[in-house]
Amino acid sequence: MELDTSVESAADRQPSEVGAKQLLTLHCEQCNSVLGDSLGVCGQSAEHIMCVKVTNNVIISDEMKLELEGETTQCICSSLTCSGCVSALGRVVHAAPRHLEMLRSAFLLSRAKVKCYVLDSGGTVRSSDVTFDLKPLGGAMDEMTRQVRGHLGRMSRITTRWSRKDPCR
Ligand SMILES: [Zn+2]
């Protein structure tokens, strides 16, 4: 199954919207613990929802292993479990080969283990019925770059002022 790789990497992905701009929370199928929300979703496949962020209810195993098959073949991953019911939820990718670099640092929640609560309608849907609309960062990255450059300029001016006032010099 192919993962949606429309943008460069997990860290470069923008929080997404679901279908008609609906906000969802992601819950454990077994015990309803909140695992994340649609703002943290950065990718998807038929089997997984890819997230940049999950809640503390998602426990990351200390054990790392090299995956030998499936979507994360050749990736070093740790398994994820639910803190509420200890159900297996999926895996987090620590390292990935270049052709799967978009998976690095991503939490892959198994659709079979996750259900979604739609905030607008107050209804629960199977995560397998949800398609997340993913948008590349584009303008948001340009805006962030502009802000960082602004901060750097201000820091540079402050540093210059301090160095002129430094009595030790
Ligand atoms: Zn659970």
Side-chain angles (χ1 to χ4, degrees):
M1 214 38 64
E2 288 293 311
L3 283 161
D4 182 341
T5 58
S6 57
V7 285
E8 291 299 313
S9 70
D12 288 338
R13 284 167 186 263
Q14 183 183 28
S16 63
E17 297 172 343
V18 177
K21 298 186 177 180
Q22 292 174 317
L23 289 175
L24 305 176
T25 49
L26 309 176
H27 298 260
C28 173
E29 177 71 34
Q30 196 79 21
C31 74
N32 263 335
S33 292
V34 180
L35 308 175
D37 60 40
S38 54
L39 296 176
V41 174
C42 62
Q44 62 194 326
S45 69
E47 294 175 18
H48 292 104
I49 300 169
M50 189 190 307
C51 299
V52 290
K53 187 178 176 186
V54 291
T55 69
N56 292 336
N57 293 327
V58 178
I59 305 299
I60 302 171
S61 165
D62 290 336
E63 183 186 345
M64 294 185 192
K65 67 174 185 177
L66 177 65
E67 298 288 336
L68 299 175
E69 58 185 27
E71 294 174 340
T72 53
T73 300
Q74 299 180 325
C75 295
I76 296 175
C77 301
S78 290
S79 58
L80 304 173
T81 53
C82 173
S83 66
C85 66
V86 202
S87 284
L89 296 173
R91 62 185 74 103
V92 60
V93 179
H94 300 292
R98 181 175 287 275
H99 71 284
L100 293 175
E101 66 182 354
M102 77 299 247
L103 297 179
R104 286 178 195 151
S105 303
F107 296 89
L108 303 177
L109 299 177
S110 170
R111 285 188 187 264
K113 303 300 177 100
V114 175
K115 60 185 172 187
C116 301
Y117 179 78
V118 185
L119 295 180
D120 283 347
S121 67
T124 303
V125 293
R126 291 183 305 179
S127 65
S128 55
D129 295 336
V130 175
T131 301
F132 296 89
D133 291 336
L134 302 170
K135 297 185 297 185
L137 277 175
M141 279 301 288
D142 293 342
E143 173 64 16
M144 186 183 294
T145 302
R146 192 187 62 74
Q147 287 180 6
V148 167
R149 285 190 179 137
H151 288 308
L152 278 174
R154 280 193 290 279
M155 287 173 65
S156 173
R157 287 192 294 276
I158 290 169
T159 304
T160 304
R161 255 184 272 150
W162 279 354
S163 63
R164 284 181 190 152
K165 292 179 181 176
D166 188 345
C168 299
R169 293 190 174 205

